[in-house]
Amino acid sequence: MATETIILKELSIGYHTKNGTRVVAEGINAAIQSGELTCLLGANGVGKSTLLRTLSAFQPALSGEIVIRREGVRSQEISAYTDKELSRLIGVVLTEKPDIRNMTVRELVALGRSPYTGFWGTLHDADWQVVDEAINAVRISKLRERMVHTLSDGERQKVMIAKALAQQTPVIFLDEPTAFLDFPSKVEMMQLLRRLAKEEQKTIFLSTHDFELALQVADKLWLMTDELHIGTPHELAQSGALAGYVERPGITFDAQTLTVRVKNDIL
């Protein structure tokens, strides 16, 4: 059963520049639920990465609150948690490529256990079992002993997702997790994340440009345009928000089938 886990109250996001404050979005009141896969859509530059970085506590909100609600524990604003506490609550996968050498895939995934062992702590058999389960879940067992710097972009992305899984956090935020993957791998990855949300009641929130795939897999969509639209794919289709986002001359959106149609005129 889905429950509200991340609650945003009058949240304003952005960043400070030499010329003042750049507000990306403001007055956001919303909730992200456990047991659901939530996909964040929007054009480049609209502020998706800024929102994810703010939710992940990598940068402060301009104003408002981000509250984390956990069963049996008093709800707290995200700034009230220590870094160590957050590392056991939130796993984050960003698009930046890790500059790592002289480390195997298995060793990198094992760093996901550091919130429980300390960065230089010793991993026990139970930890290595979690690591191997994460590797198998992302289907990269053949890469286990490969050096990280020899991997392709897509392979590296899967490794970083496995590391987040090994962290065993109730919340996972991902910025473009399918960006470097081929289409079958994109589908497998989205299905894996949805399955984790459903079976393990995780709160999984990700940004993506894979519009039609998100419509097929996501339980909820957050569509960032001039305003924030939140709802199921069918709800946003019926409201016209999805058509307003994707339609251009020669591009139409079918709200019934949730598909994009491209007019292919031959001149």
Side-chain angles (χ1 to χ4, degrees), residues 107-125:
E107 290 169 339
L108 176 55
V109 175
L111 292 181
R113 302 302 300 161
S114 61
Y116 309 96
T117 64
F119 189 79
W120 298 110
T122 301
L123 271 68
H124 301 288
D125 289 345

Side-chain angles (χ1 to χ4, degrees), residues 17 22 48 50 125 139-140 159 260:
T17 68
R22 166 85 164 88
K48 299 189 303 298
T50 301
D125 289 345
R139 299 185 181 181
I140 54 171
V159 173
V260 177

Side-chain angles (χ1 to χ4, degrees), residues 147-216:
M147 302 303 289
V148 173
H149 70 274
T150 69
L151 302 177
S152 69
D153 288 343
E155 290 170 337
R156 189 183 298 110
Q157 189 76 341
K158 290 181 179 180
V159 173
M160 298 309 294
I161 292 171
K163 175 177 173 289
L165 296 184
Q167 201 171 331
Q168 289 190 312
T169 55
V171 179
I172 303 177
F173 294 138
L174 306 101
D175 190 8
E176 295 286 345
T178 60
F180 305 114
L181 305 181
D182 56 46
F183 186 75
S185 295
K186 287 176 188 283
V187 175
E188 288 177 355
M189 188 58 63
M190 293 288 269
Q191 289 175 329
L192 168 65
L193 294 172
R194 190 171 194 270
R195 188 168 67 250
L196 287 170
K198 297 291 183 186
E199 295 179 358
E200 300 188 23
Q201 288 297 295
K202 289 184 181 290
T203 302
I204 300 183
F205 184 82
L206 64 91
S207 69
T208 182
H209 283 298
D210 291 316
F211 181 77
E212 289 188 277
L213 183 55
L215 299 192
Q216 294 181 61

Side-chain angles (χ1 to χ4, degrees), residues 5 31 36 64 68 80-81 84 92 125 141 182 197 200 237 247 258:
T5 305
E36 292 185 345
I68 300 178
Y81 290 93
K84 186 173 184 62
V92 182
D125 289 345
S141 56
D182 56 46
E200 300 188 23
E247 287 190 338
L258 300 180

Side-chain angles (χ1 to χ4, degrees), residues 211-212 215 221 233-234 236-238 240-248 251-262:
F211 181 77
E212 289 188 277
L215 299 192
L221 297 176
H234 283 286
L236 295 193
Q238 295 305 315
L242 293 177
Y245 166 66
V246 76
E247 287 190 338
R248 305 282 192 280
I251 303 174
T252 59
F253 177 72
D254 189 319
Q256 298 302 316
T257 61
L258 300 180
T259 55
V260 177
R261 296 179 178 176
V262 179

Side-chain angles (χ1 to χ4, degrees), residues 53-74:
R53 293 182 67 84
T54 305
L55 294 178
S56 305
F58 288 168
Q59 70 182 67
L62 298 179
S63 63
E65 294 183 321
I66 301 169
V67 176
I68 300 178
R69 178 183 292 169
R70 292 183 293 157
E71 185 177 352
V73 179
R74 182 172 60 87

Side-chain angles (χ1 to χ4, degrees), residues 72-123:
V73 179
R74 182 172 60 87
S75 299
Q76 289 193 101
E77 215 279 334
I78 196 170
S79 60
Y81 290 93
T82 66
D83 288 344
K84 186 173 184 62
E85 288 171 335
L86 283 176
S87 71
R88 296 189 178 193
L89 287 174
I90 300 174
V92 182
V93 181
L94 300 177
T95 51
E96 287 89 347
K97 300 177 184 178
D99 185 17
I100 296 173
R101 294 187 176 275
N102 300 319
M103 181 178 287
T104 67
V105 164
R106 192 169 186 246
E107 290 169 339
L108 176 55
V109 175
L111 292 181
R113 302 302 300 161
S114 61
Y116 309 96
T117 64
F119 189 79
W120 298 110
T122 301
L123 271 68

